[in-house]
Amino acid sequence: MSDRQGLRISDHALVRFLERAGGHDIAAIRDALSASLDRARVAAGAVAETEYAIVADGLSYVVRHGTVVTVLEQTMPPKKVRP
């Protein structure tokens, strides 16, 4: 976090701004992302994994119990996802 003064913007507020003021269809983005990652989800399920990462398009999508919990740049060091 920077030392600058001013209001902090929560992730929730940022998403709502993008949806309401920016004109982005967040539900459509969520659906498209889910569909693009579904093949990896099926493969992980076939080997009974509940925690894994999907690497695609230069990003790592960290999945825990069927939910993408974060998205990392591939250059970022992997770290254990908190329970």
Side-chain angles (χ1 to χ4, degrees):
M1 186 159 93
S2 71
D3 289 334
R4 72 172 183 79
Q5 298 296 314
L7 289 174
R8 291 182 21 189
I9 307 298
S10 72
D11 291 344
H12 175 82
L14 181 60
V15 168
R16 291 298 165 249
F17 171 79
L18 291 172
E19 181 178 45
R20 296 175 180 150
H24 297 281
D25 185 347
I26 301 301
I29 294 169
R30 180 180 285 116
D31 291 345
L33 181 58
S34 177
S36 73
L37 301 176
D38 200 49
R39 191 173 116 199
R41 178 195 61 81
V42 170
V47 294
E49 287 296 324
T50 61
E51 296 183 28
Y52 53 93
I54 300 169
V55 178
D57 300 322
L59 298 171
S60 294
Y61 302 85
V62 179
V63 180
R64 183 181 189 121
H65 305 292
T67 300
V68 176
V69 295
T70 193
V71 180
L72 305 170
E73 294 176 358
Q74 281 183 307
T75 58
M76 298 173 86
K79 50 185 159 181
K80 178 138 176 70
V81 178
R82 289 179 283 165

